[in-house]
Amino acid sequence: MDLLKQRIVEDGTVLPGNVLKVDNFLNHQVDTKLMDQIGEEFAKLFKDEKITKVITVESSGIAPALMTAFHIGVPLIFARKHKSLTLTDNLYTANVYSYTKQVSNDISVDKRFLNPEDRVLIIDDFLANGQAVQGLLEIAKVAKVDVAGVGIVIEKSFQKGRSMIEKTGVRLESLARIASLDNQKVTFVE
Ligand code: 5GP
């Protein structure tokens, strides 16, 4: 997606540890117009997949997942990282190690929102080592729902996430694929 790549080059900054900071348009301040186009693009890519729900992890997956769900015309579910008083014990839970925060969190989805007749699309802002996606795949497996695919806004292709997902056989679509962040420069996969 050229518009997204252009924005990464213009506004992204590379931090130590191979972290790309894009908080002025993607995951802190959000460019709603760009997010709308991202949602439209995922909806187009997965249009034949008979998706019934879009699923992500709070908080930075919510913006692209919401716009994708809106364009497909289905509900969005975001797995929660912190147990809230309104969440009961009736939960699907997986443990996820956060790449950027370097802590483990349990992520949870209320069992009422996933049923065996569902076919879900997993959306996230970044793919690094694939922990977040793996947690959602685990939840989908226990809930016995089909996974139609994984849609990623920015994939860091030099990390392990892509090969992990490819091994599961689940379809993966990334809108921008980064080959390297060496020397604080963003290089895209050709
Ligand atoms: P993974 O679970 O694939 O290792 O990492 C994915 C999660 O870590 C994403 O949901 C995202 O929040 C965060 N993340 C991973 N790499 C980056 C990065 O380079 N920049 C930012 N802003 N977040 C990242």
Side-chain angles (χ1 to χ4, degrees):
M1 194 178 168
D2 289 342
L3 203 64
L4 171 66
K5 287 189 189 168
Q6 191 185 328
R7 198 62 188 276
I8 293 170
V9 170
E10 280 168 10
D11 287 348
T13 48
V14 181
L15 302 181
N18 280 323
V19 171
L20 178 67
K21 187 170 172 168
V22 283
D23 63 354
N24 54 348
F25 67 92
L26 186 64
N27 50 23
H28 191 15
Q29 172 172 264
V30 176
D31 181 332
T32 54
K33 185 105 192 173
L34 177 67
M35 210 52 75
D36 183 43
Q37 288 163 317
I38 285 171
E40 208 174 5
E41 187 70 18
F42 281 132
K44 206 160 52 174
L45 285 166
F46 290 99
K47 71 176 183 336
D48 298 325
E49 295 282 357
K50 299 188 168 62
I51 289 152
T52 64
K53 281 172 189 171
V54 172
I55 186 163
T56 189
V57 181
E58 69 172 354
S59 56
S60 51
I62 293 177
L66 174 66
M67 295 316 295
T68 304
F70 176 76
H71 280 284
I72 298 174
V74 296
L76 159 72
I77 302 169
F78 57 93
R80 291 186 163 182
K81 283 183 182 155
H82 305 286
K83 272 204 174 158
S84 111
L85 289 175
T86 56
L87 277 182
T88 63
D89 286 338
N90 217 12
L91 303 173
Y92 295 117
T93 299
N95 192 261
V96 168
Y97 180 78
S98 162
Y99 181 79
T100 45
K101 301 202 178 75
Q102 305 195 339
V103 290
S104 283
N105 277 306
D106 278 343
I107 60 164
S108 307
V109 174
D110 194 305
K111 287 186 178 170
R112 287 179 299 143
F113 301 132
L114 287 175
N115 303 295
E117 58 275 17
D118 277 321
R119 188 163 159 79
V120 299
L121 172 62
I122 294 172
I123 296 284
D124 207 358
D125 61 337
F126 271 90
L127 179 65
N129 291 321
Q131 299 281 304
V133 170
Q134 198 163 30
L136 291 173
L137 287 171
E138 268 171 51
I139 286 177
K141 192 172 174 191
V142 178
K144 299 187 171 67
V145 302
D146 271 356
V147 178
V150 175
I152 298 292
V153 181
I154 303 176
E155 173 190 314
K156 294 190 292 183
S157 306
F158 55 90
Q159 292 181 296
K160 289 185 298 205
R162 170 167 280 266
S163 64
M164 185 282 290
I165 296 170
E166 278 174 352
K167 274 188 208 134
T168 67
V170 172
R171 177 178 171 194
L172 169 63
E173 299 283 354
S174 302
L175 301 186
R177 294 187 61 197
I178 294 177
S180 145
L181 292 173
D182 291 349
N183 305 316
Q184 286 165 316
K185 189 178 170 293
V186 179
T187 309
F188 294 102
V189 172
E190 291 301 317

